[in-house]
Amino acid sequence: MKTLSNAHTHTTHCDGKSTAAEQVAAAQALGFVSLGFSGHAMQGFDWLYCMSVEGQRAYREELLALRESLRQSGSALRLWIGLEQDSLVPEAEKAANRELFEYRIGSTHYFPEPLDGAWVAVDGSAELLTRFIAERFDGDATAMAQAYFALHGQAVEHDRPEIVGHFDLVRKYAAGIGLDVHNRAYRDAALAALAQARKGCGVLEVNTGNIARGYDTHPYPADFILDAWRDLDGELTLTSDCHNARDLDCAFAPTLEHLRALGWTRLLRLGTGEALWEDVRL
């Protein structure tokens, strides 16, 4: 069964390749009932990646106009206007985001201290991340992952977003940086952070963006994290972290089959009315 929705969608307002209108057209062609936009919120340092305050205003205004255009055309597609908010977004901006946007995906990309003036993202430059591990963690990739998970768990508990973003993003370059994701210390750190995150949010995304971009065959997060999330009475939503409209429902069908095989019987999609969430039975 298709979820017919996606809550994690980027556009040319940030680092997406498709315009908002192109994403809407793709959603309509796929028969989506709802679509949520999640532009990268202003964090004040990576301007090739995030929106400025003025950019966020233009982003929101365009999506409001698109929503009205859909209403006037009689389209049943429900648009939601959200943000993907990194843990390093300033507190004042986080407060404003809660008021201005309908939902937030709480993600952690960066470490809080730059290396030689460069901000280190776990999904950014593999070369920079390797240097960071060597200089800040004495070459221990597991220690880096432990620090990452601690940051992510704390941020979600503190910020209380509506969705937990790509929980184990830190595994993107695992093979290249010597990170053993089967290591007990790695898994213990992930599960401790997951339990902390659950205090701040009840919805975890299953994110197929890594499949769309060709560097993995299994979505975020790993199965052991999904099993633990179920034990924590958490909910799931399926997203594509879409940067290109052609990938809006990337790997949704096999991912749904995999979730069923893991014992999941339902998940959430963005609503078609006033409520943010609707149940989808698998």
Side-chain angles (χ1 to χ4, degrees), residues 223-239:
D223 290 351
F224 78 93
I225 294 171
L226 292 173
D227 291 341
W229 188 249
R230 183 172 52 220
D231 292 341
L232 292 167
D233 293 323
E235 304 276 9
L236 296 181
T237 190
L238 177 59
T239 78

Side-chain angles (χ1 to χ4, degrees), residues 32-43:
F32 273 31
V33 297
S34 58
L35 178 66
F37 287 92
S38 56
H40 288 292
M42 195 286 292
Q43 23 78 335

Side-chain angles (χ1 to χ4, degrees), residues 57-275:
R57 186 178 300 114
Y59 160 80
R60 185 171 179 272
E61 288 173 355
E62 180 182 5
L63 293 180
L64 286 170
L66 271 172
R67 180 186 283 171
E68 177 60 18
S69 177
L70 287 171
R71 187 191 67 79
Q72 291 185 9
S73 71
S75 172
L77 179 66
R78 172 67 156 98
L79 287 192
W80 292 88
I81 306 173
L83 285 176
E84 183 175 10
Q85 179 177 278
D86 192 82
S87 56
L88 295 189
V89 168
E91 289 299 320
E93 294 303 322
K94 289 179 179 179
N97 293 343
R98 283 194 295 272
E99 298 298 321
L100 290 173
F101 294 92
E102 294 167 330
Y103 70 93
R104 296 152 301 144
I105 300 174
S107 298
T108 298
H109 299 88
Y110 304 90
F111 286 93
E113 296 180 358
L115 178 67
D116 299 331
W119 291 88
V120 180
V122 294
D123 63 335
S125 164
E127 180 182 359
L128 182 60
L129 182 60
T130 299
R131 284 180 50 216
F132 186 70
I133 294 168
E135 296 187 27
R136 298 287 171 84
F137 296 97
D138 294 323
D140 187 345
T142 298
M144 179 277 297
Q146 289 172 316
Y148 171 83
F149 281 126
L151 285 169
H152 197 26
Q154 291 165 10
V156 173
E157 181 182 20
H158 175 269
D159 296 338
R160 307 186 71 82
E162 285 67 38
I163 304 170
V164 183
H166 35 54
F167 188 80
D168 53 351
L169 183 65
V170 71
R171 69 176 165 90
K172 176 178 179 178
Y173 296 125
I177 63 176
L179 177 62
D180 180 3
V181 298
H182 304 290
N183 179 289
R184 178 65 180 270
Y186 172 91
R187 291 188 171 220
D188 285 349
L191 294 178
L194 190 73
Q196 185 171 16
R198 180 65 182 87
K199 299 174 184 177
C201 183
V203 183
L204 181 72
E205 71 168 352
V206 178
N207 180 318
T208 66
N210 54 350
I211 300 173
R213 288 181 279 285
Y215 58 80
D216 208 339
T217 58
H218 191 290
Y220 300 116
D223 290 351
F224 78 93
I225 294 171
L226 292 173
D227 291 341
W229 188 249
R230 183 172 52 220
D231 292 341
L232 292 167
D233 293 323
E235 304 276 9
L236 296 181
T237 190
L238 177 59
T239 78
S240 61
D241 197 348
C242 185
H243 287 66
N244 190 313
R246 70 186 181 208
D247 298 322
L248 191 57
D249 67 342
C250 176
F252 274 16
T255 300
L256 289 170
E257 289 293 335
H258 185 68
L259 291 174
R260 277 193 285 267
L262 291 178
W264 290 88
T265 60
R266 54 183 290 278
L267 49 73
L268 300 178
R269 72 179 180 200
L270 288 175
T272 54
E274 295 306 309

